[in-house]
Amino acid sequence: AQSVTQPDIHITVSEGASLELRCNYSYGATPYLFWYVQSPGQGLQLLLKYFSGDTLVQGIKGFEAEFKRSQSSFNLRKPSVHWSDAAEYFCAVGAGGTSYGKLTFGQGTILTVHP
Amino acid sequence: NAGVTQTPKFQVLKTGQSMTLQCAQDMNHEYMSWYRQDPGMGLRLIHYSVGAGITDQGEVPNGYNVSRSTTEDFPLRLLSAAPSQTSVYFCASSQVRGMGGNTIYFGEGSWLTVV
């Protein structure tokens, strides 16, 4: 069975500082990996996704993530955080075939940005 | 193009009542699913469907019923609401075939409180 762990429940950074949110997954084959962001009271917005090919994936809002098969990780990074990035971030892993949409989510990481 | 539409957005139920959360998509997606979101647990899959007439259970199906009579609609029924079903519910859809790179679209969520 697939699983996702986000080790950090809550992270606080200063505006302008760099950010890295950790995500570790467990899956038997090559996974489909996603990062979503959720602002309070809102739905989920896709930041980026990995399917195959280049292991460094660029997303929206200046985010990027790197797939490292040897470490079973898919960490999310941003070089300079803005106050509007404060939100909850979810990493998710998906299977292939007709199970494509069966996502398994991590517990989420809440990001607080100090001015 | 409305994407994935969920109704109602907010609902309060009494224990033992039944209700249906509606989900509709206008993208002709084969795959539709329902998740529930609880604090500290991320999103967990309740039920999913890979096409009209085909449904299957996810991780937390107990107390919920689904059907898929059309491609567009995937309602979630609470048979006898319990306080443990207080949660935020998200509907999602995606294509299945040619899945590499397909985006999984989420609705804006339905906030359900059972008292």
Side-chain angles (χ1 to χ4, degrees):
Chain A
Q2 58 204 48
S3 66
V4 176
T5 301
Q6 293 179 245
D8 304 305
I9 296 173
H10 196 169
I11 284 183
T12 300
V13 299
S14 298
E15 191 169 16
S18 63
L19 172 70
E20 182 170 32
L21 301 182
R22 295 183 291 164
C23 172
N24 295 101
Y25 69 90
S26 173
Y27 184 66
T30 299
Y32 299 113
L33 294 161
F34 306 82
W35 273 101
Y36 285 90
V37 60
Q38 184 182 34
S39 297
Q42 301 298 313
L44 296 167
Q45 182 180 23
L46 179 68
L47 288 175
L48 47 78
K49 57 192 176 188
Y50 170 80
F51 290 89
S52 64
D54 193 349
T55 57
L56 186 61
V57 180
Q58 300 298 320
I60 62 171
K61 303 185 178 185
F63 286 93
E64 65 177 27
E66 187 171 11
F67 170 58
K68 293 185 177 180
R69 184 188 302 275
S70 61
Q71 299 177 17
S72 297
S73 69
F74 189 56
N75 294 348
L76 182 71
R77 300 193 294 248
K78 187 170 185 177
S80 177
V81 171
H82 188 262
W83 63 266
S84 60
D85 293 325
E88 189 164 15
Y89 292 78
F90 293 95
C91 181
V93 63
T98 54
S99 295
Y100 171 73
K102 291 177 65 177
L103 298 182
T104 298
F105 284 82
Q107 303 93 321
T109 297
I110 297 171
L111 175 65
T112 298
V113 181
H114 281 166
Chain B
N1 187 346
V4 180
T5 303
Q6 290 183 232
T7 57
K9 192 170 179 71
F10 300 99
Q11 182 72 48
V12 178
L13 280 180
K14 293 183 179 178
T15 298
Q17 286 185 317
S18 62
M19 77 156 298
T20 299
L21 298 177
Q22 302 290 345
C23 176
Q25 52 89 10
D26 60 359
M27 298 171 281
N28 202 31
H29 286 167
E30 302 98 329
Y31 191 97
M32 296 185 74
S33 54
W34 277 101
Y35 294 84
R36 61 176 288 172
Q37 183 181 24
D38 303 293
M41 302 188 74
L43 281 76
R44 292 177 293 167
L45 183 65
I46 304 171
H47 284 287
Y48 66 97
S49 168
V50 297
I54 306 169
T55 63
D56 207 345
Q57 296 181 352
E59 181 184 354
V60 288
N62 292 340
Y64 306 95
N65 226 349
V66 293
S67 60
R68 185 95 178 267
S69 56
T70 68
T71 300
E72 295 77 20
D73 300 299
F74 191 45
L76 178 72
R77 297 182 186 84
L78 280 69
L79 308 173
S80 176
S84 61
Q85 293 179 302
T86 294
S87 188
V88 184
Y89 292 84
F90 287 96
C91 181
S93 76
S94 69
Q95 290 181 323
V96 174
R97 294 172 184 78
M99 57 205 171
N102 284 348
T103 295
I104 299 171
Y105 295 85
F106 282 84
E108 294 192 344
S110 296
W111 274 253
L112 175 66
T113 301
V114 183
V115 298

